[in-house]
């Protein structure tokens, strides 16, 4: 046995000598600490699934040597008895900027910045920072490390949080050693986001632009890697290709950005690990369908200060419910079997990590999953599961000692070990000095009693007259106290506890300054009840249901599921039906809807006995096709313009649909069932459109009109030549209307050449061809697979674009606004272009001075397919009345007028085979009006999409009452919460704030508008 022990020690020493070799010179003598440490009799939680009672942990330097019940200890091992204590693997945080200096943006001078300021052989956009590598600049920040260690964290994945492509992060230990000895993995993961960070370059200026830039950059990197005949060296692309082999972490600041990132990753076969925002529970089914891993923050919203009832009314229902439900985010992930880990990154005080995790437990998270999310999962996500995340042989010796199960409310970390470095927070084995004592000052005996928790004992002197005068400090084995016998006699003492003699010895000073030796004798034991565990409360948390969408007027989860699963069968009886077919207006007719489609239009349709089809009595009411808004900017997130360049054909409005925009619901109340979501008019060639149905409550993908053709926004006039952008906006081409034409000629020429080259490459070497998303979209126009909606005003430019289209062999699909269309109606009719105009807007800028309200009627009579659009979130709610204006201005018939907002926009969007008229086989997208739909007195009583009632006046009234009750319930809960937390340290409240809803128009510039005014 001795030989085996000696051999074990020798082999260990040899391994240590090899592993401990260093490239650093030594100045002076050395004293390496090669000590073995053994932790005995502990409850060792080796991982989230296993717990070993009365076990031993043996470590040396930074490695675990052995763990188990029977562990042989080498000679000279330092031991620590941990009976009654717990050992846990240290936590791992995959989202940190520890050790890195924050990146600050350069000063941005007034005016645009078209090109990158980064010098050298880098890519064209300075938000692509793929060459950033955290390990190169990592320097310990011990003040921050102390907070993280106190939270139980021993290792973090540190990376720069700057840019869209952010480079690589390093996995580092939070020890006190040189940086060289702290880096575990130099390149542990790649980092990405939709935020351009410190980049001062204009592009991208919107979320849709950020997505397009990242998508194009991924395509470019693939081309760069596969093309052996490339003529450029690009550091940015070269470094991005090196990142591809690493786990990829994507920062999201919203649940829908999680979905956007996952969709983008799927396009390029990248399983992003998504750093979530905390509101993912609101769309947990969609989050589950992404099939990726998540990093969850723990910064739950502070309670609202609702003392003032007027202020409290300013808090939205969504914000109130998020305060209530946010701590249940992790539990929702667990219930849906979505892999996740935690991060302390968003916490103001990182040391409060466990406090927030325990709150998650109260909301339904299991303890085993909590531990898994803090240890095993983060290690697994970055392929470090064979090094850390558990207490196993040859793993890093990163662990902490706690006085009880770490998830109990009053559990505390006593020591935290990172290798052979220990941070102590409390005595692991405090001296048990509890008992009854007596102290004699020479004339009088004073009984003492020390009782309570062994780690937090309390002292009492049992003479009633003295209780209020005692001052004492009991710390480890040191006791200091003072008290007054009477007005003239004071005693001040300092003593040390002797565990062998069970007594305190020391000195006391009297009033006259004389000192005397004193001894406090042990008399008898006190009751030493073991402190009861204080597990995290598992009491049921009162909580309302999630809303779909998570907004005012959203349906509660169960109600929404019932709505989704409900039959799409209706019989609308005895209505005046505006069919938009040759039959026109049919009085006293019925419309039968089966499975969301129009089955029959006839008089007196009879149902089979006991039919389950819902019957709507429409006597005295009017039924029309749903209103279609050809030109809308609602339901879009973070900008409608990507206007930094002359063309943004690569951006897609379908990437940034916001299903929670309240304007979807508001427009349903005005009878709108479909809309084209357009890019703005900041540049001659804008972004790709999205056509949606206003199905309130569904996700972004489900809003999209199925199988719709692709459209793209072009623009002419003042906006694109930047007439009103300020004196500094003179850099971006074009600056004149003549320049706009040259933009089209140049881009279509390039697109034609690109398309020819692409087709040739497809037959020879497709991998060597660089896919250009911008030219892809323009080539689709040339190939009649994508169609132009063009913002336009004056006749000269309208003619110009038709000439360009003729030159390249395609047709402009729609001129929108088109306020001088009446001047060139004959040419438009000959070209075959449609017109989507305003009813009676004029004189709001120079190029609309000659607009007339007869425009729509003149265009209609000239045979041009004509529509009335809104370009405005509010006006879309009364497009029926806007259409009616053409009865007054131009004497259109009522049927022709209604077609301006139903069948005609359907035709120009190529969806008239589905919607726009009431005929068998078409989608049942309908509106039931209280009166003639062109009347100012008419209101949309029910708005139906695909046979389901998405809006009704009756349901709206009920929902308002339900919302009022729900808000009152949560506010009452907040009042109780604030009273309970009153005066407690660290508990904050937030002041209610009204949120101003941002409405988009053609000329809204997101992000750039601050720069245009000289502000940031």
């Amino acid at each position: 046995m001795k030989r085996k022990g000696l051999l074990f020690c020798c082999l260990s020493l040899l391994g240590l000598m090899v592993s401990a070799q260093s490239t650093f010179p030594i100045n002076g003598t050395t004293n390496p600490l090669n000590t073995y440490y053994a932790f005995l009799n502990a409850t060792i939680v080796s991982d989230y699934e296993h717990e070993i009672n009365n076990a031993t942990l043996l470590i040396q330097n930074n490695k675990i040597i052995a763990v188990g019940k029977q562990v042989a200890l080498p000679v000279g091992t330092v031991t620590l008895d941990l009976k009654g204590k717990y050992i846990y693997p240290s936590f791992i945080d995959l989202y940190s900027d520890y050790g890195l200096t924050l990146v600050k943006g350069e000063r941005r001078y007034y005016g645009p910045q078209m090109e990158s300021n980064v010098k050298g052989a880098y890519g064209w956009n300075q938000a692509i920072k793929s060459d950033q590598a955290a390990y190169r600049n990592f320097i310990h920040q011990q003040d921050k490390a102390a907070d993280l260690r106190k939270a139980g964290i021993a290792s973090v994945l540190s990376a720069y949080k700057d840019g869209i492509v952010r480079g690589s992060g390093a996995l580092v230990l939070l020890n006190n050693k040189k940086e060289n000895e702290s880096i575990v993995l130099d390149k542990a993961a790649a980092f990405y986001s939709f935020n351009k960070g410190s980049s001062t370059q204009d592009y991208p200026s919107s979320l849709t632009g950020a997505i397009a830039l990242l998508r194009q950059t991924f395509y470019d990197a693939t081309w760069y890697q596969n093309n052996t005949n490339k003529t450029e060296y690009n550091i940015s692309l070269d470094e991005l290709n090196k990142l591809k082999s690493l786990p990829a972490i994507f920062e999201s600041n919203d649940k829908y950005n999680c979905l956007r990132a996952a969709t983008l990753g799927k396009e390029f076969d990248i399983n992003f690990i998504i750093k979530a925002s905390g509101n993912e529970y609101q769309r947990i089914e969609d989050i589950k369908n992404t099939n990726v891993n998540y990093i969850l923050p723990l910064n739950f919203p502070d309670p609202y200060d609702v003392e003032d009832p007027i202020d409290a009314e300013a808090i939205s229902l969504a914000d109130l419910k998020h305060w209530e439900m946010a701590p249940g985010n992790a539990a929702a992930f667990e219930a849906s079997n979505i892999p996740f880990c935690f991060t302390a990154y968003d916490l103001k005080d990182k040391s409060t990590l466990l406090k927030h995790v325990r709150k998650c437990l109260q909301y339904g998270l299991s303890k085993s999953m909590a531990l898994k999310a803090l240890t095993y999962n983060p290690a697994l996500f970055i392929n470090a599961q064979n090094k850390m995340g558990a207490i196993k042989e040859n793993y890093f010796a990163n662990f902490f000692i706690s006085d009880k199960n770490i998830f109990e409310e009053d559990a505390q970390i006593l020591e935290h070990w990172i290798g052979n470095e220990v941070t102590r927070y409390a005595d692991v084995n405090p001296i048990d000095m509890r008992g009854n004592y007596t102290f004699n000052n020479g004339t009088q005996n004073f009984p003492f009693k020390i009782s309570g928790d062994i780690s937090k004992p309390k002292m009492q002197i049992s003479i009633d007259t003295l209780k209020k005068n005692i001052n004492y400090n009991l710390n480890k084995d040191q006791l200091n106290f003072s008290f007054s016998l009477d007005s003239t006699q004071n005693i001040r003492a300092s003593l040390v506890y002797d565990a062998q003699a069970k007594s305190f010895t020391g000195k006391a000073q009297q009033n006259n300054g004389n000192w005397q030796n004193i001894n406090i004798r042990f008399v008898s034991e006190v009751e030493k009840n073991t402190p009861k565990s204080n597990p995290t409360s598992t009491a049921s948390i009162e909580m309302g249901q999630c809303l779909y969408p998570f907004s005012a007027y959203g349906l509660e989860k169960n109600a929404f599921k019932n709505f989704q699963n409900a039959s799409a069968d209706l019989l609308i009886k005895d209505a005046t039906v505006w069919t938009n077919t040759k039959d026109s207006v049919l009085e006293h007719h019925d419309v039968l809807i089966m499975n969301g489609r129009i089955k029959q239009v006839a008089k007196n349709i009879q149902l089979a006995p006991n039919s389950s089809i819902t019957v709507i009595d429409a006597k005295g009411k009017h039924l029309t096709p749903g209103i279609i808004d050809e030109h809308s900017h609602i339901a879009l997130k973070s900008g409608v313009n990507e206007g930094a360049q002359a063309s943004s054909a690569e951006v897609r409005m379908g990437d940034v649909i916001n299903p929670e925009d309240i304007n979807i619901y508001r427009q349903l109340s005005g009878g709108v069932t479909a809309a084209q979501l357009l890019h703005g008019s900041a540049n001659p060639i804008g972004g790709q459109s999205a056509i949606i149905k206003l199905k309130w409550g569904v996700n972004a993908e489900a809003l999209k009109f199925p199988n719709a053709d692709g459209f793209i926004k072009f623009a002419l006039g003042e906006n694109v030549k930047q007439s009103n952008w300020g004196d500094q906006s003179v850099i971006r081409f074009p600056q004149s209307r003549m320049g706009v034409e040259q933009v089209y000629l140049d881009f279509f020429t390039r697109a034609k050449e690109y398309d020819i080259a692409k087709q040739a490459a497809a037959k020879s070497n497709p991998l060597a061809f660089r896919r250009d998303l911008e030219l892809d979209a323009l080539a689709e126009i040339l190939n009649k697979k994508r169609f132009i909606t063009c913002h336009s005003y004056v006749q000269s430019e309208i003619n110009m674009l038709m000439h360009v289209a003729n030159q390249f062999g395609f047709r402009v699909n729609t001129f929108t606004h088109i306020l001088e269309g009446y001047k060139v109606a004959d040419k438009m009719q000959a070209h075959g272009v449609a017109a989507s105009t305003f009813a009676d807007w004029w004189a709001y800028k120079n190029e609309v001075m000659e607009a007339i309200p007869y425009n729509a009627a003149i265009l209609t009579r000239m045979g041009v397919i004509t529509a009335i659009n809104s370009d405005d979130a509010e006006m879309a709610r009364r497009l029926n009345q806007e259409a009616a204006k053409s009865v007054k201005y131009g004497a259109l018939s009522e049927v022709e007028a209604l077609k301006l907002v139903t069948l005609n926009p359907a035709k120009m969007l190529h969806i008239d085979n589905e919607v726009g008229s009431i005929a068998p086989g078409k989608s049942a997208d309908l509106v039931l009006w209280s009166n003639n739909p062109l009347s100012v007195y008419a209101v949309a009583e029910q708005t139906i999409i695909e046979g389901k009632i998405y809006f009704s006046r009756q349901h709206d009234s009920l929902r308002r009452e339900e919302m009022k009750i729900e808000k009152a319930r949560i506010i009452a809960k907040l009042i109780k919460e604030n009273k309970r937390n009153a005066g407690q340290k660290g508990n904050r409240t937030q002041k209610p704030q009204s949120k101003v809803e941002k409405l988009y128009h053609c000329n809204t510039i997101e992000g750039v508008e601050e720069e245009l005014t000289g502000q940031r």
Side-chain angles (χ1 to χ4, degrees), residues 105-140:
E106 307 166 28
R107 183 185 174 193
R108 182 62 196 274
Y109 293 95
Y110 186 56
Q113 179 193 325
M114 293 285 294
E115 299 178 353
S116 172
N117 283 337
V118 179
K119 307 302 180 185
Y122 293 90
W124 71 274
N125 194 282
Q126 66 188 67
I128 306 301
K129 303 173 183 289
S130 48
D131 57 302
Q132 282 185 149
Y135 76 91
R136 292 196 185 107
N137 301 305
F138 170 70
I139 299 173
H140 273 302

Side-chain angles (χ1 to χ4, degrees), residues 332-353:
F333 271 73
E334 181 180 12
S336 298
N337 296 313
I338 306 170
F340 68 93
C341 63
F342 286 123
T343 179
Y345 181 74
D346 300 282
L347 295 176
K348 293 179 180 178
D349 182 357
K350 307 294 190 285
S351 66
T352 62
L353 171 73

